[in-house]
Amino acid sequence: MKYKLIASDFDGTIYTSDYKIADGTKEAMKEYMDKGGKIVISTGRLYASIKKQMLEMGLNKGEVIVYQGSGVYDVATDKPILEYNIDTDVATECLRFIDDREGFYGLMYYEGKCYVPERNMLIDFFLSILKVDDTIVTGMRMSDYIAKNAIKPTKILLLSLPDKQGDIADECREKFSEYLTFSRANEILVEVVNKDASKGNALRYVAEEMYGLTRDEVIAIGDAENDISMIEYAGLGVAMGNAMDELKAVADLITITNDESGVAKIIREYGLGDKQ
């Protein structure tokens, strides 16, 4: 087996447009693991939001990369193995930069929970996808809440309607790139993490430090900007057919879409098959 570990993003990669995990994907994963391969999910979600789906995929042990690389968890024990946080002052300043913009909402992940400033249609839509029970409404701007409570978030989220997003990620990079990494997850969400945190760094840690593998033995699959670092790290970096152009530009190959079970195709052809 040339590729001993396959890391895959979840939303937009494994998860279909109607929020399902295809049976063919689950079957391919099981066959690959039965032959000794390792599957590592690498997601921007918080741990509580991905645990149920991990179990649905038969991944009841091993590691999962969460918070866009800001955390690595042991699935069997629900305990963190690796974590990065954002400094309180940096988080406060970043959120204040967007707080006064019409239609923008700053959210955060902290200690395994999702914090939101209020409940409205956009935030409720986001939470309906996230599917977590531990959502805390702060009742004030997130920047003020973080400063008041001296919080060091694991991850910040900048949420807005598509027509409001514009160049917000680039504007934030210009001001805060020394401390933070900004990635567009989709048309309504920009994800913000500690500069040292990335899916690529987390994948390197799991592959090399935990399993003694080389990057040439690793496949990474994704669809968005926050997947670029792990696509560049892996020996075989794969972009979904529905991926952002920025990811396709750095991938070694492009597979079919999430709705066509592109992950299952890669597992069967490169994980279980003879393709190199």
Side-chain angles (χ1 to χ4, degrees):
M1 179 182 284
K2 175 178 172 58
Y3 296 109
K4 298 179 175 62
L5 188 154
I6 298 177
S8 177
D9 174 53
F10 186 71
D11 293 284
T13 301
I14 291 173
Y15 224 20
T16 61
S17 298
D18 55 355
Y19 309 117
K20 295 179 181 177
I21 304 170
D23 289 340
T25 300
K26 289 182 279 190
E27 290 165 5
M29 285 182 172
K30 185 178 186 306
E31 289 180 37
Y32 177 70
M33 291 187 291
D34 285 347
K35 291 184 178 295
K38 301 183 186 303
I39 298 284
V40 176
I41 302 303
S42 181
T43 178
R45 291 183 179 222
L46 67 163
Y47 180 70
S49 175
I50 195 65
K51 179 63 184 284
K52 179 180 177 181
Q53 288 83 358
M54 295 286 295
L55 298 179
E56 183 183 346
M57 290 182 282
L59 304 174
N60 57 2
K61 60 182 180 178
E63 297 74 36
V64 58
I65 297 168
V66 292
Y67 307 124
Q68 195 184 319
S70 290
V72 176
Y73 272 66
D74 183 310
V75 180
T77 65
D78 297 327
K79 301 294 184 183
I81 300 168
L82 180 72
E83 276 193 319
Y84 294 93
N85 293 89
I86 300 171
D87 181 79
T88 301
D89 292 340
V90 173
T92 301
E93 187 177 352
C94 173
L95 283 163
R96 283 181 177 159
F97 182 66
I98 65 101
D99 271 340
D100 293 328
R101 294 173 183 247
E102 182 183 358
F104 270 90
Y105 302 94
L107 287 63
M108 73 167 173
Y109 294 158
Y110 175 63
E111 294 187 340
K113 297 178 176 63
C114 180
Y115 290 70
V116 301
E118 62 183 75
R119 298 296 292 263
N120 57 44
M121 288 182 64
L122 180 61
I123 290 175
D124 285 349
F125 170 73
F126 173 74
L127 293 176
S128 72
I129 299 171
L130 206 59
K131 293 180 180 174
V132 292
D133 297 324
D134 294 329
T135 299
I136 295 175
V137 181
T138 64
M140 64 178 73
R141 299 193 316 177
M142 198 59 63
S143 58
D144 295 334
Y145 185 83
I146 288 173
K148 178 181 178 181
N149 296 282
I151 287 171
K152 294 183 177 180
T154 310
K155 180 176 174 179
I156 293 170
L157 305 103
L158 311 180
L159 187 67
S160 77
L161 290 172
D163 62 339
K164 299 288 186 182
Q165 280 281 316
D167 299 322
I168 189 64
D170 291 334
E171 291 180 42
C172 287
R173 288 185 189 110
E174 289 181 12
K175 289 185 67 67
F176 304 107
S177 61
E178 182 180 354
Y179 308 103
L180 302 170
T181 298
F182 297 83
S183 302
R184 288 183 300 126
N186 51 53
E187 62 182 3
I188 66 170
L189 186 66
V190 173
E191 300 175 312
V192 188
V193 295
N194 183 298
K195 181 70 174 179
D196 294 327
S198 71
K199 288 186 176 183
N201 285 344
L203 178 55
R204 183 206 59 77
Y205 177 83
V206 172
E208 298 179 19
E209 302 296 328
M210 299 191 70
Y211 291 113
L213 302 177
T214 68
R215 62 196 301 174
D216 291 335
E217 297 173 293
V218 176
I219 296 174
I221 314 169
D223 75 305
E225 272 188 0
N226 63 10
D227 298 313
I228 288 176
S229 61
M230 72 172 183
I231 296 302
E232 291 181 327
Y233 166 78
L236 181 65
V238 182
M240 300 298 291
N242 53 289
M244 293 179 178
D245 291 340
E246 294 88 342
L247 186 71
K248 289 180 178 179
V250 301
D252 297 307
L253 65 89
I254 300 170
T255 187
I256 53 180
T257 70
N258 58 328
D259 291 332
E260 298 171 300
S261 300
V263 171
K265 179 179 173 66
I266 293 299
I267 292 174
R268 293 198 179 282
E269 291 184 352
Y270 292 87
L272 294 167
D274 296 327
K275 287 193 174 182
Q276 305 295 312

